[in-house]
Amino acid sequence: EVVAWFALEAVRNARARRAGARRLGPADFRETTLPPRCVAGCGAVAELPAEAGKALLADPAGFAARLEQPVVLRGFARRWRAVGRWDPEFLAAAISGPVAARVSRTASFTFCKPDHPWFLDGVMEPTSFVHHIPVAEFIDRVRHSPDKHLPPLRFPGEHLYIQSTIPPHLLLRDTTLPLPLVFARAVAQPPRVWVSPAGSVSPLHFDAAHSSLTQLCGRKRFTFFPPPRDGALRDVLRPFPGGHPLHRRCRVDLARGL
């Protein structure tokens, strides 16, 4: 429903431009906060036994299609060698070459594509940037190693996290993922590893495909909302329409709204 609404908004915007109406700009997409009363009763997250992960591994697409709510498979990866092993130092040695580092002014990382026309024309500034650096440099930057004296990649006091595809030999050795997942034959994207400092936030958004996450170290808190089938929740969350540089993101700020 959300994707269909985005498409409808894009069509409306195109028709308005052909009719000579004012072209939409950043001022039309102001940020707002989410009233706490709108958060209550948004549904539950189911917790399944770790054994249910066998169905996920056997048929990821079919497993996701049968779900009607987010699920937690507690203990699913407890016996993986990757647990307790894949720390930043291990990844620095295991992943050769640079990885993608997203850089933001704050610990809230809003994804965007810097090649959007609004960014290229200077209409608005990108919310974050991507630089490619070695994992070892990322470690030095987030730990503020005093002997490195590294200049900022983009902003003074910047925040950053990294992501990288995982070499198949590491997945085969340190996880129990089946070959179709290891070699990205049954998923929209190849398996990736994400590393971020404590306090990092990904603002409210939705993904274009089903996602699964295995937490190997630290903690991650999720806030879920049900699909806005009746339009009421959509009006509260106010997602940016298709064509906007922050497409798939919402205009509410959960940190301030809660």
Side-chain angles (χ1 to χ4, degrees):
E1 287 81 5
V2 174
V3 174
W5 179 74
F6 279 157
L8 180 58
E9 285 292 302
V11 171
R12 288 173 177 169
N13 291 344
R15 289 175 178 172
R17 286 195 295 272
R18 287 197 295 269
R22 179 179 62 85
R23 181 180 178 181
L24 295 178
D28 298 289
F29 303 100
R30 295 186 179 89
E31 189 182 64
T32 186
T33 57
L34 184 64
R37 60 182 175 80
C38 297
V39 181
C42 285
V45 176
E47 183 166 332
L48 302 179
E51 291 72 24
K54 296 178 181 179
L56 168 64
L57 297 181
D59 181 15
F63 184 86
R66 291 192 296 271
L67 297 177
E68 296 183 354
Q69 62 189 129
V71 298
V72 174
L73 301 174
R74 196 173 301 278
F76 168 65
R78 183 177 293 124
R79 290 185 171 84
W80 286 12
R81 289 184 61 187
V83 177
R85 177 184 177 92
W86 286 15
D87 59 18
E89 285 75 16
F90 172 84
L91 295 175
I95 300 178
S96 60
V99 298
R102 186 162 295 276
V103 184
S104 172
R105 292 184 184 275
T106 70
S108 181
F109 295 89
T110 300
F111 175 87
C112 69
K113 294 183 178 180
D115 58 352
H116 189 280
W118 284 10
F119 298 146
L120 298 178
D121 295 342
V123 176
M124 62 183 293
E125 181 183 1
T127 51
S128 60
F129 297 84
V130 173
H131 291 258
H132 291 85
I133 60 175
V135 178
E137 180 180 334
F138 166 76
I139 297 173
D140 291 332
R141 288 184 177 277
V142 298
R143 291 180 177 170
H144 305 289
S145 300
D147 58 328
K148 299 298 181 179
H149 303 291
L150 296 171
L153 292 171
R154 182 68 61 163
F155 312 110
E158 65 196 8
H159 299 254
L160 63 158
Y161 71 76
I162 58 171
Q163 63 165 297
S164 172
T165 55
I166 307 173
H169 74 275
L170 289 183
L171 292 171
L172 292 172
R173 187 189 68 188
D174 294 346
T175 77
T176 59
L177 295 177
L179 292 179
L181 288 179
V182 169
F183 294 101
R185 296 171 185 158
V187 290
Q189 294 179 322
R192 292 174 291 171
V193 61
W194 304 69
V195 184
S196 61
S200 300
V201 176
S202 179
L204 191 62
H205 67 282
F206 71 89
D207 291 338
H210 291 294
S211 299
S212 62
L213 180 143
T214 304
Q215 193 76 17
L216 299 178
C217 179
R219 296 184 299 173
K220 185 179 181 72
R221 178 184 178 183
F222 289 84
T223 301
F224 289 103
F225 292 90
R229 293 187 174 90
D230 60 359
L233 184 60
R234 183 198 67 202
D235 293 338
V236 172
L237 300 180
R238 300 179 66 216
F240 290 102
H244 190 277
L246 300 184
H247 174 50
R248 293 200 292 111
R249 277 76 204 162
C250 294
R251 274 165 275 184
V252 299
D253 185 337
L254 286 180
R256 289 194 294 166
L258 296 177

